[in-house]
């Protein structure tokens, strides 16, 4: 999803309207940005959920962050609890919940996990190869266990869906487990990695050296320096962490090298947050790869 356009990314946070227009505040930050809402659907759903000027509404959306104001282009989730920012769904590519809220389907890297909340029952189906039927994505699997076979049919489609509480979702779910049918809404997961990318590079305007930063979902990083002088590329491995929603810290394995703190910009760039002995006060890295979040490439409606 959004693998090629560095200025376009998924955002989540609260949207509010003041006398001077819309303002967006990303989860985990105290900063509000001016927002341009280009989606008529988002505007209509915002009006339905807001109780007045200044009242925040939780949203997840596709947005262009390369300009001011931020442009909210396509909604993914509108409404729900304002505590939604606290839930990040780690390691879950997609979560779907039945209309009654009693069964949860999690699409993970290796499994489709089905949880029955009222029965303390959980089924883990090995994740099969997806079937692409127009815009529908379907997974079918059978497994044995406990003296019986369990059968799953799990289907997701980009069709609007509304929960009983009124929240709006861009994805709908239809499923069948052991002959019982379920319907509900679905959302993208692994929110803790939004909006990080798998790789960043220095801009072409830097001619003295090139840097490439690769981030892994295992919290490991590799920072490569090329001084463009026919000498070997220098590599610094280490661990990375999110200090806050808009701050990234690199801690190299080489203890002689100080940690590097980056500010995550609204446009997706990484900018040096504090002075660093090796890089000075000014260093900006541009996103150059796909989003870091769990992404099999099967949920490809927003390419």
């Amino acid at each position: 999803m959004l693998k090629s356009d560095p200025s376009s990314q998924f955002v989540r946070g609260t949207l509010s309207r003041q006398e001077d227009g819309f303002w967006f505040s990303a989860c985990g930050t105290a900063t509000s940005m001016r927002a341009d809402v280009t989606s008529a659907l988002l505007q209509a759903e915002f009006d339905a959920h807001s109780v007045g000027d200044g009242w925040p509404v939780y949203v997840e959306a596709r947005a262009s962050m390369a300009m001011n104001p931020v442009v909210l282009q396509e909604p993914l989730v509108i409404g729900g609890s304002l505590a939604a920012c606290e839930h990040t769904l780690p390691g879950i590519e997609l979560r779907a919940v039945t209309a009654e809220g009693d069964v949860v389907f999690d699409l993970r890297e290796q499994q489709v996990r089905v949880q029955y909340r009222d029965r303390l029952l959980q089924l883990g189906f090995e994740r099969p190869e997806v079937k692409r039927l127009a815009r529908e994505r379907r997974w079918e699997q059978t497994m044995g266990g406990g003296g019986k076979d369990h059968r799953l049919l799990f289907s997701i489609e980009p069709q609007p869906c509304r929960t009983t509480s009124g929240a709006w979702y861009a994805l709908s779910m239809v499923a069948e487990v052991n002959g019982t049918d379920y319907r509900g809404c679905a959302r993208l997961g692994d929110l803790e990695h939004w909006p990080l990318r798998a790789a960043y590079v220095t801009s072409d305007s830097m001619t003295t050296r090139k840097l490439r930063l690769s981030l892994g979902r295992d919290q490991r990083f590799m920072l490569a320096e090329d001084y463009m002088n026919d000498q070997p590329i220098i590599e610094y491995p280490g661990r990375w962490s999110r200090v806050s929603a808009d701050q990234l810290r690199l801690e190299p394995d080489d203890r002689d090298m100080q940690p590097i703190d980056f500010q995550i910009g609204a446009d997706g760039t990484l900018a040096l947050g504090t002075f660093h002995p090796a890089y000075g006060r000014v260093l900006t890295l541009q996103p150059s790869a796909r989003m870091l979040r769990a992404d099999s490439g099967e949920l490809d409606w927003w390419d």
Side-chain angles (χ1 to χ4, degrees):
M1 296 181 182
L2 304 179
K3 297 172 184 173
S4 59
D5 183 1
S7 71
S8 188
Q9 61 191 47
F10 294 128
V11 298
R12 57 191 297 255
T14 55
L15 182 67
S16 61
R17 181 162 49 201
Q18 309 291 345
E19 292 183 357
D20 57 351
F22 284 104
W23 289 80
F24 177 76
S25 181
C27 288
T29 67
T31 304
S32 293
M33 300 175 285
R34 288 186 178 275
D36 183 7
V37 180
T38 61
S39 165
L41 171 63
L42 178 51
Q43 288 201 35
E45 288 293 329
F46 174 86
D47 290 339
H49 286 85
S50 177
V51 297
D53 285 353
W55 184 262
V57 174
Y58 178 79
V59 299
E60 294 174 9
R62 177 181 177 179
S64 177
M65 308 295 285
M67 57 190 72
N68 186 11
V70 54
V71 180
L72 300 180
Q73 301 165 322
E74 185 175 4
L76 303 176
V77 177
I78 309 171
S81 169
L82 293 181
C85 278
E86 301 172 10
H87 306 293
T88 59
L89 306 180
I92 299 171
E93 184 175 4
L94 176 139
R95 167 164 286 183
V97 181
T98 58
E100 297 76 14
D102 56 342
V103 185
V104 178
F105 296 80
D106 285 339
L107 189 63
R108 295 176 173 267
E109 183 177 3
Q110 302 293 335
Q111 282 187 329
V112 181
R113 187 173 300 175
V114 184
Q115 303 175 65
Y116 295 84
R117 288 175 168 170
D118 57 349
R119 295 163 53 191
L120 298 179
L121 173 64
Q122 181 173 283
L123 300 174
F125 293 87
E126 180 180 351
R127 181 167 173 169
E129 184 176 349
V130 70
K131 294 182 179 179
R132 300 173 184 267
L133 308 171
R135 304 196 77 195
E136 178 188 357
R137 302 294 177 264
R138 181 184 297 177
W139 298 264
E140 296 182 59
Q141 187 61 282
T142 300
M143 72 169 181
K148 63 174 293 186
D149 287 338
H150 298 278
R151 183 179 183 277
L152 168 73
L153 187 152
F154 180 58
S155 173
I156 298 294
E157 193 169 359
Q159 292 290 339
C161 179
R162 194 179 300 278
T163 67
T164 55
S165 64
W168 182 94
Y169 289 77
L171 299 175
S172 295
M173 175 270 291
V174 175
E176 178 186 328
V177 183
N178 297 334
T180 301
D181 295 328
Y182 301 96
R183 291 182 177 273
C185 302
R187 64 187 299 178
L188 298 177
D190 204 17
L191 307 176
E192 63 183 344
H193 288 122
W194 294 18
L196 294 177
R197 301 290 178 125
Y200 298 82
V201 296
T202 46
S203 67
D204 293 337
S205 62
M206 180 176 286
T207 58
T208 56
R209 64 179 173 184
K210 298 292 185 183
L211 301 180
R212 178 178 175 84
L213 172 64
S214 300
L215 300 180
R217 289 177 45 77
D218 58 357
Q219 307 299 119
R220 297 289 297 175
F221 76 84
M222 179 64 74
L223 179 63
E225 290 187 354
D226 182 358
Y227 282 86
M228 307 175 70
N229 57 1
D230 296 325
Q231 295 300 310
I233 294 175
I234 304 172
E235 295 185 332
Y236 298 99
R239 296 192 64 82
W240 67 267
S241 61
R242 294 282 285 275
V243 179
S244 66
D246 57 358
Q247 289 183 306
L248 179 75
R249 171 166 293 177
L250 307 182
E251 298 188 51
D253 292 339
D254 184 351
R255 296 304 178 186
D256 292 333
M257 188 175 185
Q258 290 188 15
I260 310 171
D261 291 320
F262 285 104
Q263 194 77 18
I264 306 171
D267 59 355
T269 59
L270 299 181
L272 203 61
T274 58
F275 173 81
H276 191 273
Y279 304 110
R281 297 187 182 277
V282 179
L283 175 64
T284 301
L285 301 179
Q286 307 290 334
S288 64
R290 61 177 176 79
M291 296 184 71
L292 190 62
R293 63 168 293 272
D295 182 5
S296 63
E298 296 175 353
L299 308 178
D300 53 358
W301 303 293
W302 294 282
D303 273 350

